[in-house]
Amino acid sequence: MHVPDGFINAPTSAVTGVVAAGAIAVSLRGARRELDERTAPLAGLVAAFIFAVQMLNFPVAAGTSGHLLGGALAAILVGPCTGVLCVSVVLLMQGILFADGGLTALGVNITDMAIVTTVVAYALFRGLVKVLPRTRRSVTVASFVAALVSVPAAALAFTFLYWIGGTTDIAIGKVATAMVGVHVLIGIGEAAITALTVGAVIAVRPDLVYGARGLRQRLKLRVNGELVDAPDTSGTPDAGPAPAPAPAAARSHRKLWITGLVTSLVLAGFVSFYASANPDGLEKVAADKGIDEKTEEHANADSPLADYGVEDIANARVSGGLAGVIGVGVTVVAGSAVFWAVRRRRSDDASPTNTDTTV
Protein backbone atom coordinates (compact mmCIF):
# COMPACT_ATOMS: atom_id res chain seq x y z
CA MET A 1 0.00 0.00 0.00
CA HIS A 2 2.96 2.30 -0.60
CA VAL A 3 1.43 5.35 -2.31
CA PRO A 4 3.68 6.78 -5.06
CA ASP A 5 4.04 10.42 -6.02
CA GLY A 6 1.19 11.70 -8.18
CA PHE A 7 -1.71 9.73 -6.68
CA ILE A 8 -2.64 12.45 -4.17
CA ASN A 9 -2.50 16.19 -4.89
CA ALA A 10 -0.05 18.55 -3.22
CA PRO A 11 -2.43 20.23 -0.69
CA THR A 12 -3.67 16.89 0.66
CA SER A 13 -0.12 15.53 0.76
CA ALA A 14 0.97 18.61 2.71
CA VAL A 15 -1.84 18.21 5.24
CA THR A 16 -1.06 14.54 5.77
CA GLY A 17 2.58 15.52 6.17
CA VAL A 18 1.61 17.82 9.04
CA VAL A 19 -0.58 15.07 10.56
CA ALA A 20 2.28 12.57 10.27
CA ALA A 21 4.78 14.98 11.84
CA GLY A 22 2.41 15.67 14.72
CA ALA A 23 1.78 11.96 15.29
CA ILE A 24 5.51 11.24 15.28
CA ALA A 25 6.10 14.03 17.83
CA VAL A 26 3.39 12.60 20.09
CA SER A 27 4.76 9.08 19.58
CA LEU A 28 8.27 10.16 20.55
CA ARG A 29 6.93 11.37 23.88
CA GLY A 30 4.75 8.29 24.34
CA ALA A 31 7.60 5.94 23.48
CA ARG A 32 9.54 7.23 26.50
CA ARG A 33 6.96 5.53 28.71
CA GLU A 34 6.91 2.32 26.65
CA LEU A 35 10.63 1.70 26.24
CA ASP A 36 13.05 0.44 28.87
CA GLU A 37 16.50 -1.12 28.80
CA ARG A 38 15.01 -4.45 27.67
CA THR A 39 12.58 -3.28 25.01
CA ALA A 40 14.59 -0.47 23.36
CA PRO A 41 16.80 -2.94 21.44
CA LEU A 42 13.73 -5.01 20.56
CA ALA A 43 12.07 -1.98 18.95
CA GLY A 44 14.93 -1.54 16.47
CA LEU A 45 14.73 -5.24 15.67
CA VAL A 46 10.95 -5.01 15.13
CA ALA A 47 11.51 -2.26 12.55
CA ALA A 48 14.10 -4.41 10.73
CA PHE A 49 11.81 -7.45 10.84
CA ILE A 50 8.93 -5.46 9.36
CA PHE A 51 11.21 -4.25 6.58
CA ALA A 52 12.26 -7.82 5.83
CA VAL A 53 8.75 -9.28 5.84
CA GLN A 54 7.43 -6.46 3.66
CA MET A 55 9.72 -7.83 0.93
CA LEU A 56 7.79 -11.11 0.99
CA ASN A 57 4.76 -10.47 -1.20
CA PHE A 58 2.35 -13.39 -0.95
CA PRO A 59 -0.26 -14.19 -3.64
CA VAL A 60 -3.90 -13.49 -2.92
CA ALA A 61 -6.55 -13.48 -5.66
CA ALA A 62 -6.82 -12.59 -9.36
CA GLY A 63 -3.14 -11.95 -9.99
CA THR A 64 -2.73 -9.77 -6.91
CA SER A 65 -0.24 -10.02 -4.06
CA GLY A 66 0.02 -8.52 -0.61
CA HIS A 67 2.59 -7.97 2.09
CA LEU A 68 2.74 -7.18 5.78
CA LEU A 69 1.94 -3.60 6.81
CA GLY A 70 3.26 -4.19 10.32
CA GLY A 71 1.35 -1.67 12.41
CA ALA A 72 -0.47 -4.29 14.48
CA LEU A 73 2.66 -6.37 15.00
CA ALA A 74 4.74 -3.40 16.15
CA ALA A 75 2.05 -2.02 18.46
CA ILE A 76 1.50 -5.35 20.22
CA LEU A 77 5.21 -6.16 20.60
CA VAL A 78 6.59 -2.78 21.66
CA GLY A 79 3.60 -0.48 22.26
CA PRO A 80 1.42 1.74 20.05
CA CYS A 81 3.59 4.88 20.18
CA THR A 82 6.77 2.92 19.55
CA GLY A 83 4.89 1.00 16.86
CA VAL A 84 4.13 4.20 14.95
CA LEU A 85 7.84 5.04 15.06
CA CYS A 86 8.86 1.54 13.93
CA VAL A 87 6.71 1.62 10.81
CA SER A 88 7.68 5.25 10.11
CA VAL A 89 11.38 4.33 10.19
CA VAL A 90 10.69 1.51 7.71
CA LEU A 91 8.76 3.81 5.37
CA LEU A 92 11.50 6.43 5.52
CA MET A 93 14.21 3.90 4.66
CA GLN A 94 12.11 2.46 1.82
CA GLY A 95 11.36 5.85 0.34
CA ILE A 96 14.89 7.24 0.51
CA LEU A 97 16.98 4.18 -0.33
CA PHE A 98 14.70 1.92 -2.36
CA ALA A 99 12.40 4.39 -4.16
CA ASP A 100 9.40 2.58 -2.67
CA GLY A 101 6.63 5.02 -1.78
CA GLY A 102 6.79 8.61 -3.00
CA LEU A 103 8.74 11.24 -1.08
CA THR A 104 5.99 13.83 -1.49
CA ALA A 105 3.57 11.07 -0.43
CA LEU A 106 5.57 10.19 2.70
CA GLY A 107 3.00 11.92 4.90
CA VAL A 108 0.22 9.94 3.20
CA ASN A 109 2.07 6.67 3.72
CA ILE A 110 2.91 7.34 7.36
CA THR A 111 -0.66 8.41 8.08
CA ASP A 112 -2.11 5.37 6.33
CA MET A 113 0.38 2.59 7.04
CA ALA A 114 1.84 3.67 10.39
CA ILE A 115 -0.81 5.68 12.21
CA VAL A 116 -4.11 4.15 11.05
CA THR A 117 -2.96 0.53 11.27
CA THR A 118 -1.36 1.00 14.68
CA VAL A 119 -4.22 2.93 16.27
CA VAL A 120 -6.97 0.68 14.89
CA ALA A 121 -5.11 -2.53 15.67
CA TYR A 122 -4.07 -1.62 19.20
CA ALA A 123 -7.48 -0.23 20.17
CA LEU A 124 -9.16 -3.44 18.99
CA PHE A 125 -6.44 -5.58 20.58
CA ARG A 126 -6.87 -3.92 24.01
CA GLY A 127 -10.64 -4.30 23.81
CA LEU A 128 -10.34 -8.00 23.03
CA VAL A 129 -7.83 -8.85 25.76
CA LYS A 130 -10.12 -7.22 28.31
CA VAL A 131 -13.00 -9.58 27.49
CA LEU A 132 -11.03 -12.74 26.68
CA PRO A 133 -9.54 -15.03 29.35
CA ARG A 134 -6.25 -13.69 30.72
CA THR A 135 -3.99 -16.16 28.92
CA ARG A 136 -1.17 -16.06 26.40
CA ARG A 137 -3.42 -17.76 23.85
CA SER A 138 -5.88 -14.88 24.17
CA VAL A 139 -3.09 -12.43 23.30
CA THR A 140 -2.34 -14.42 20.15
CA VAL A 141 -6.02 -14.59 19.15
CA ALA A 142 -6.48 -10.87 19.79
CA SER A 143 -3.35 -10.20 17.69
CA PHE A 144 -4.82 -12.14 14.79
CA VAL A 145 -8.13 -10.27 14.83
CA ALA A 146 -6.54 -6.85 15.33
CA ALA A 147 -4.11 -7.35 12.45
CA LEU A 148 -6.88 -8.64 10.19
CA VAL A 149 -9.03 -5.55 10.73
CA SER A 150 -6.15 -3.08 10.49
CA VAL A 151 -5.48 -3.77 6.80
CA PRO A 152 -8.94 -2.97 5.35
CA ALA A 153 -9.02 -0.02 7.78
CA ALA A 154 -5.88 1.29 6.05
CA ALA A 155 -7.52 0.64 2.67
CA LEU A 156 -10.51 2.73 3.74
CA ALA A 157 -8.18 5.47 4.96
CA PHE A 158 -6.47 5.59 1.57
CA THR A 159 -9.85 5.70 -0.15
CA PHE A 160 -10.85 8.66 2.05
CA LEU A 161 -7.63 10.51 1.23
CA TYR A 162 -8.12 9.76 -2.45
CA TRP A 163 -11.68 11.06 -2.27
CA ILE A 164 -10.32 14.32 -0.84
CA GLY A 165 -7.24 14.77 -3.01
CA GLY A 166 -7.10 12.17 -5.76
CA THR A 167 -5.56 13.36 -9.02
CA THR A 168 -7.90 11.44 -11.34
CA ASP A 169 -11.67 11.57 -11.66
CA ILE A 170 -12.71 8.08 -10.54
CA ALA A 171 -15.97 7.01 -8.86
CA ILE A 172 -14.95 6.73 -5.23
CA GLY A 173 -17.43 3.94 -4.54
CA LYS A 174 -15.69 1.69 -7.03
CA VAL A 175 -12.32 2.50 -5.50
CA ALA A 176 -13.59 1.72 -2.00
CA THR A 177 -15.13 -1.60 -3.04
CA ALA A 178 -12.01 -2.71 -4.86
CA MET A 179 -9.60 -1.56 -2.14
CA VAL A 180 -11.49 -3.11 0.77
CA GLY A 181 -12.21 -6.33 -1.13
CA VAL A 182 -8.59 -7.12 -1.96
CA HIS A 183 -7.22 -5.87 1.37
CA VAL A 184 -9.54 -8.08 3.40
CA LEU A 185 -7.74 -11.00 1.72
CA ILE A 186 -4.35 -9.41 2.36
CA GLY A 187 -5.44 -8.89 5.97
CA ILE A 188 -5.68 -12.65 6.44
CA GLY A 189 -1.98 -12.95 5.58
CA GLU A 190 -1.17 -10.01 7.84
CA ALA A 191 -3.11 -11.63 10.68
CA ALA A 192 -1.34 -14.98 10.26
CA ILE A 193 2.13 -13.38 10.26
CA THR A 194 1.30 -11.18 13.24
CA ALA A 195 -0.20 -13.97 15.34
CA LEU A 196 2.66 -16.37 14.58
CA THR A 197 5.29 -13.77 15.45
CA VAL A 198 3.59 -12.59 18.63
CA GLY A 199 3.01 -16.21 19.69
CA ALA A 200 6.66 -17.09 19.07
CA VAL A 201 7.95 -14.19 21.18
CA ILE A 202 5.44 -14.89 23.97
CA ALA A 203 6.62 -18.50 24.07
CA VAL A 204 10.19 -17.50 24.95
CA ARG A 205 10.01 -14.01 26.48
CA PRO A 206 6.45 -12.98 27.41
CA ASP A 207 7.85 -10.15 29.52
CA LEU A 208 9.06 -8.43 26.34
CA VAL A 209 5.62 -8.35 24.68
CA TYR A 210 4.06 -4.99 25.48
CA GLY A 211 0.53 -6.21 24.82
CA ALA A 212 0.97 -9.12 27.24
CA ARG A 213 2.01 -7.04 30.23
CA GLY A 214 -0.25 -7.64 33.17
CA LEU A 215 -1.71 -10.82 31.67
CA ARG A 216 0.63 -13.37 33.20
CA GLN A 217 -0.67 -15.61 35.95
CA ARG A 218 0.44 -14.81 39.49
CA LEU A 219 2.78 -17.31 41.12
CA LYS A 220 1.02 -19.51 43.69
CA LEU A 221 2.57 -20.54 47.01
CA ARG A 222 1.28 -23.26 49.32
CA VAL A 223 0.77 -21.91 52.84
CA ASN A 224 -0.68 -24.19 55.54
CA GLY A 225 -2.00 -26.50 52.83
CA GLU A 226 -3.68 -23.71 50.81
CA LEU A 227 -2.60 -22.00 47.56
CA VAL A 228 -2.24 -18.24 47.86
CA ASP A 229 -0.89 -15.54 45.56
CA ALA A 230 2.82 -14.90 45.98
CA PRO A 231 3.79 -11.30 46.78
CA ASP A 232 4.17 -9.22 43.62
CA THR A 233 7.72 -7.92 43.51
CA SER A 234 7.77 -6.94 39.83
CA GLY A 235 6.43 -3.44 40.38
CA THR A 236 3.47 -4.02 38.04
CA PRO A 237 0.05 -5.11 39.35
CA ASP A 238 -0.92 -8.61 38.22
CA ALA A 239 2.36 -8.90 36.35
CA GLY A 240 3.27 -12.25 37.92
CA PRO A 241 6.47 -13.35 39.58
CA ALA A 242 9.57 -11.23 39.68
CA PRO A 243 11.83 -11.40 36.64
CA ALA A 244 14.72 -13.81 36.47
CA PRO A 245 18.14 -12.66 37.69
CA ALA A 246 19.69 -10.03 35.45
CA PRO A 247 22.48 -12.16 33.91
CA ALA A 248 20.05 -14.88 32.79
CA ALA A 249 17.57 -12.32 31.46
CA ALA A 250 20.33 -10.53 29.58
CA ARG A 251 21.48 -13.77 27.96
CA SER A 252 17.91 -14.63 26.99
CA HIS A 253 17.40 -11.15 25.56
CA ARG A 254 20.58 -11.32 23.49
CA LYS A 255 19.59 -14.74 22.18
CA LEU A 256 16.17 -13.46 21.11
CA TRP A 257 17.70 -10.37 19.47
CA ILE A 258 20.28 -12.39 17.54
CA THR A 259 17.66 -14.93 16.47
CA GLY A 260 15.37 -12.15 15.26
CA LEU A 261 18.13 -10.40 13.35
CA VAL A 262 19.30 -13.59 11.66
CA THR A 263 15.70 -14.42 10.74
CA SER A 264 15.24 -10.96 9.22
CA LEU A 265 18.45 -11.27 7.21
CA VAL A 266 17.46 -14.70 5.89
CA LEU A 267 13.98 -13.51 4.95
CA ALA A 268 15.21 -10.38 3.17
CA GLY A 269 18.38 -11.85 1.73
CA PHE A 270 17.15 -15.25 0.56
CA VAL A 271 13.43 -15.95 0.95
CA SER A 272 12.46 -12.66 -0.71
CA PHE A 273 13.69 -14.02 -4.06
CA TYR A 274 10.70 -16.39 -4.03
CA ALA A 275 8.12 -13.70 -3.21
CA SER A 276 5.18 -13.19 -5.57
CA ALA A 277 5.91 -10.91 -8.52
CA ASN A 278 2.22 -9.98 -8.91
CA PRO A 279 1.29 -6.33 -8.25
CA ASP A 280 0.22 -5.61 -4.69
CA GLY A 281 -3.30 -4.59 -3.74
CA LEU A 282 -2.93 -0.87 -4.33
CA GLU A 283 -1.00 -1.34 -7.59
CA LYS A 284 -3.67 -3.72 -8.90
CA VAL A 285 -6.57 -1.44 -8.01
CA ALA A 286 -4.72 1.60 -9.38
CA ALA A 287 -4.11 -0.11 -12.72
CA ASP A 288 -7.67 -1.47 -12.98
CA LYS A 289 -9.42 1.79 -12.00
CA GLY A 290 -7.08 4.29 -13.65
CA ILE A 291 -5.79 5.79 -10.43
CA ASP A 292 -2.22 5.56 -11.70
CA GLU A 293 -2.73 7.81 -14.74
CA LYS A 294 -0.75 10.67 -13.18
CA THR A 295 1.88 8.69 -11.33
CA GLU A 296 5.17 10.58 -11.17
CA GLU A 297 8.64 9.13 -11.36
CA HIS A 298 10.21 8.70 -7.93
CA ALA A 299 12.70 11.41 -7.00
CA ASN A 300 15.19 8.69 -6.03
CA ALA A 301 14.56 6.45 -9.02
CA ASP A 302 18.28 6.51 -9.76
CA SER A 303 19.22 5.28 -6.27
CA PRO A 304 21.73 2.39 -6.40
CA LEU A 305 19.18 0.35 -4.40
CA ALA A 306 16.04 1.37 -6.31
CA ASP A 307 13.42 -1.36 -6.71
CA TYR A 308 15.22 -3.54 -4.14
CA GLY A 309 18.19 -4.38 -6.30
CA VAL A 310 21.84 -3.36 -6.22
CA GLU A 311 22.98 -1.34 -9.21
CA ASP A 312 25.44 -3.03 -11.60
CA ILE A 313 24.81 -6.53 -10.23
CA ALA A 314 23.26 -8.50 -13.09
CA ASN A 315 22.29 -11.63 -11.14
CA ALA A 316 18.74 -10.95 -9.88
CA ARG A 317 19.04 -13.34 -6.95
CA VAL A 318 22.30 -11.80 -5.70
CA SER A 319 21.16 -8.23 -6.41
CA GLY A 320 17.84 -8.58 -4.59
CA GLY A 321 19.31 -10.54 -1.71
CA LEU A 322 22.11 -8.05 -1.13
CA ALA A 323 19.65 -5.15 -1.28
CA GLY A 324 17.50 -6.90 1.32
CA VAL A 325 20.45 -7.48 3.64
CA ILE A 326 21.51 -3.84 3.29
CA GLY A 327 17.95 -2.73 4.00
CA VAL A 328 17.71 -4.82 7.16
CA GLY A 329 21.09 -3.56 8.35
CA VAL A 330 20.31 0.10 7.73
CA THR A 331 16.85 -0.19 9.30
CA VAL A 332 18.04 -1.93 12.46
CA VAL A 333 20.80 0.65 12.91
CA ALA A 334 18.51 3.62 12.25
CA GLY A 335 15.70 2.21 14.38
CA SER A 336 17.99 1.28 17.26
CA ALA A 337 19.55 4.76 17.22
CA VAL A 338 16.12 6.39 17.43
CA PHE A 339 14.89 4.16 20.24
CA TRP A 340 18.08 4.36 22.28
CA ALA A 341 17.89 8.15 22.01
CA VAL A 342 14.28 8.03 23.23
CA ARG A 343 15.29 5.69 26.03
CA ARG A 344 18.16 7.97 27.07
CA ARG A 345 15.81 10.96 27.08
CA ARG A 346 13.52 9.04 29.43
CA SER A 347 16.48 8.28 31.71
CA ASP A 348 17.52 11.94 31.68
CA ASP A 349 13.98 13.05 32.51
CA ALA A 350 13.84 10.58 35.40
CA SER A 351 17.20 11.63 36.88
CA PRO A 352 16.85 13.43 40.21
CA THR A 353 17.57 17.14 40.08
CA ASN A 354 20.21 18.70 42.20
CA THR A 355 18.51 19.76 45.43
CA ASP A 356 21.61 20.93 47.31
CA THR A 357 21.15 24.25 49.06
CA THR A 358 23.66 26.58 50.59
CA VAL A 359 23.24 27.25 54.31
Side-chain angles (χ1 to χ4, degrees):
M1 205 181 294
H2 294 75
V3 178
D5 296 320
F7 274 26
I8 306 294
N9 63 29
T12 306
S13 296
V15 171
T16 56
V18 172
V19 171
I24 289 174
V26 171
S27 297
L28 284 169
R29 292 184 61 86
R32 295 184 203 172
R33 299 187 299 270
E34 296 171 354
L35 296 172
D36 55 31
E37 64 279 358
R38 298 172 303 163
T39 56
L42 180 63
L45 178 62
V46 168
F49 182 77
I50 290 172
F51 175 91
V53 180
Q54 284 197 1
M55 293 184 67
L56 308 181
N57 280 46
F58 49 84
V60 284
T64 310
S65 69
H67 62 70
L68 182 80
L69 298 186
L73 176 63
I76 295 164
L77 286 180
V78 292
C81 292
T82 308
V84 169
L85 298 178
C86 282
V87 181
S88 297
V89 167
V90 173
L91 293 171
L92 186 61
M93 294 300 102
Q94 290 170 332
I96 293 176
L97 297 179
F98 299 92
D100 188 11
L103 295 184
T104 62
L106 185 59
V108 174
N109 285 321
I110 290 176
T111 300
D112 194 27
M113 296 178 64
I115 301 171
V116 171
T117 58
T118 300
V119 171
V120 170
Y122 197 72
L124 180 56
F125 172 82
R126 293 306 306 171
L128 289 172
V129 296
K130 286 182 179 181
V131 299
L132 293 172
R134 296 167 63 84
T135 65
R136 296 176 185 177
R137 181 174 296 180
S138 297
V139 174
T140 304
V141 171
S143 300
F144 184 95
V145 176
L148 174 62
V149 174
S150 71
V151 178
L156 281 174
F158 167 79
T159 304
F160 176 72
L161 292 175
Y162 195 81
W163 176 60
I164 294 174
T167 55
T168 56
D169 186 15
I170 306 296
I172 200 64
K174 293 181 179 180
V175 174
T177 301
M179 284 292 291
V180 172
V182 71
H183 283 91
V184 166
L185 299 176
I186 294 173
I188 297 173
E190 175 104 11
I193 294 170
T194 300
L196 287 172
T197 305
V198 171
V201 178
I202 283 181
V204 293
R205 286 297 301 270
D207 58 306
L208 294 181
V209 178
Y210 185 89
R213 293 181 180 181
L215 296 178
R216 287 174 285 161
Q217 296 294 323
R218 292 287 296 274
L219 179 66
K220 297 288 186 178
L221 297 178
R222 187 172 294 278
V223 178
N224 297 327
E226 296 183 0
L227 289 175
V228 298
D229 287 335
D232 181 10
T233 59
S234 67
T236 302
D238 297 323
R251 288 195 298 271
S252 176
H253 177 269
R254 284 195 295 269
K255 182 178 179 181
L256 175 64
W257 196 91
I258 292 171
T259 300
L261 180 60
V262 170
T263 301
S264 300
L265 290 170
V266 170
L267 291 174
F270 177 73
V271 180
S272 62
F273 181 77
Y274 301 97
S276 173
N278 291 331
D280 67 23
L282 177 58
E283 291 173 333
K284 178 67 173 176
V285 173
D288 289 347
K289 304 300 180 183
I291 293 175
D292 58 355
E293 290 180 0
K294 297 185 179 181
T295 303
E296 300 173 3
E297 184 179 20
H298 199 284
N300 288 346
D302 58 350
S303 166
L305 297 173
D307 297 324
Y308 299 93
V310 179
E311 190 177 21
D312 297 329
I313 296 182
N315 186 296
R317 185 190 298 269
V318 175
S319 178
L322 183 56
V325 168
I326 293 172
V328 168
V330 171
T331 304
V332 76
V333 170
S336 297
V338 169
F339 299 123
W340 273 116
V342 172
R343 168 61 186 159
R344 171 172 285 189
R345 183 66 180 271
R346 170 181 170 174
S347 299
D348 292 343
D349 291 345
S351 298
T353 58
N354 187 349
T355 57
D356 292 341
T357 58
T358 300
V359 179

